[in-house]
Amino acid sequence: MDKYAVIGHPIEHSKSPLIHSEFARLTGQPLEYHAILAPKAGFADAVKQFRQAGGKGANVTLPFKEEALALCDELSERARRAGAVNTLIWNDDERLLGDNTDGLGLVSDLKRHAYPLRDARILLLGAGGVARGVLLPLLSERPKRLVVANRTAHKAERLAADFSSFGPVTGVGLENLDGTFDLVINGTSASLSGKLPDLHRVKLAEDGCAYDMAYGDSLTPFQCWALENGARHALSGLGMLVGQAAESFALWRGVHPPIEPILELLQGEVE
């Protein structure tokens, strides 16, 4: 039976084994998937040992996504631009391929909610690795404009400059942020500590949407802000989690698994 895994530190919280096991059951794919706790200084060895044990592919989570990039023999354009890899694939000649499906997971979840991205005015909060990983897929949907906002303005400006050839993207410091947006995406870590980014001069367009890449047992402060400001949807990152996993599964197996049954299962656990 083909072997797959998720590698991270810590890893006990990961929902990937449940998600991929359900994908395999629903699609009839013969595989096993488990979690691997790698020492913080031992990621490369963990990957090597997994491959020697028959591993065919792996997901990579924090804090190893950048290190995974350096291990790969080939990279997708998404992974190269993101500067991080979350999906590893060994091909027939033992070359290690790296991809990044995080942005695809975000876009697929927005599309699942029938939210139009083409010609949309998009605000992306944060300029770290999470934001970098979703920029190319978002710009590929041809928004009207995309603004990256960060507490440190030069980080947002530099990130926007890195992707300027792919679409209309600009960077700005949070203190200078204002305007009306059709879609606001929170790619900061604020929700993890129960905080809200500075949005006092930001407005959601009528019928606008907000998306928090984080998720938890209840609404995040960002989702609450969105609902208080008239958002049509105030979505959490749970759909993105399942969506990026589905893209990884499709890269490995050539079959795109159904997402809805897994979301229902996970939402039931959260509730």
Side-chain angles (χ1 to χ4, degrees):
M1 187 173 289
D2 292 338
K3 296 180 180 180
Y4 298 88
V6 58
I7 305 173
H9 187 112
I11 201 63
E12 62 273 4
H13 67 287
S14 176
K15 297 184 183 298
S16 292
L18 171 61
I19 292 170
H20 284 279
S21 295
E22 284 298 298
F23 283 163
R25 183 182 67 82
L26 291 167
T27 58
Q29 291 289 307
L31 63 86
E32 59 182 46
Y33 187 109
H34 63 282
I36 297 174
L37 176 66
K40 287 188 176 180
F43 173 71
D45 285 341
V47 172
K48 181 179 179 180
Q49 291 169 13
F50 176 61
R51 178 56 177 163
Q52 290 173 342
K56 301 283 287 184
N59 289 125
V60 181
T61 188
L62 296 175
F64 300 126
K65 291 185 179 184
E66 288 79 17
E67 193 172 344
L69 185 92
L71 283 183
C72 293
D73 301 304
E74 297 178 32
L75 295 169
S76 70
E77 178 72 0
R78 291 187 297 262
R80 188 173 69 82
R81 288 286 171 177
V85 160
N86 79 334
T87 304
L88 298 173
I89 312 156
W90 282 276
N91 65 16
D92 293 338
D93 63 1
E94 292 298 308
R95 290 177 66 78
L96 182 58
L97 313 181
D99 207 336
N100 190 309
T101 65
D102 287 333
L104 294 179
L106 171 64
V107 169
S108 69
D109 196 34
L110 286 164
K111 288 183 175 180
R112 190 175 63 85
H113 286 88
Y115 194 81
L117 295 173
R118 183 162 183 162
D119 294 327
R121 297 164 295 177
I122 300 175
L123 170 61
L124 176 60
L125 302 167
V130 173
R132 175 173 286 273
V134 303
L135 264 176
L136 184 55
L138 283 171
L139 288 170
S140 297
E141 296 297 318
R142 301 177 66 181
K144 184 174 184 178
R145 69 179 178 121
L146 197 160
V147 176
V148 179
N150 191 62
R151 282 184 301 177
T152 308
H154 74 85
K155 288 185 178 180
E157 293 163 357
R158 186 170 65 241
L159 182 57
D162 288 346
F163 286 83
S164 60
S165 62
F166 294 96
V169 56
T170 57
V172 66
L174 276 175
E175 71 279 5
N176 295 319
L177 174 64
D178 60 42
T180 301
F181 297 91
D182 303 299
L183 170 63
V184 181
I185 302 170
N186 182 24
T188 74
S189 59
S191 291
L192 300 179
S193 55
K195 297 178 181 178
L196 178 70
D198 184 4
L199 296 170
H200 71 279
R201 288 186 293 178
V202 174
K203 294 181 181 179
L204 271 173
E206 185 177 351
D207 212 29
C209 178
Y211 198 104
D212 198 336
M213 291 194 207
Y215 63 91
D217 295 339
S218 58
L219 292 176
T220 67
F222 175 77
Q223 287 176 284
C224 292
W225 168 85
L227 292 172
E228 290 167 1
N229 285 272
R232 172 161 62 103
H233 292 301
L235 306 172
S236 80
L238 196 62
M240 178 179 171
L241 172 70
V242 178
Q244 64 81 23
E247 297 293 342
S248 294
F249 191 92
L251 288 170
W252 294 327
R253 308 302 295 183
V255 176
H256 210 290
I259 289 176
E260 292 292 346
I262 313 301
L263 276 173
E264 290 176 8
L265 176 64
L266 293 179
Q267 285 166 348
E269 286 191 346
V270 170
E271 290 168 3

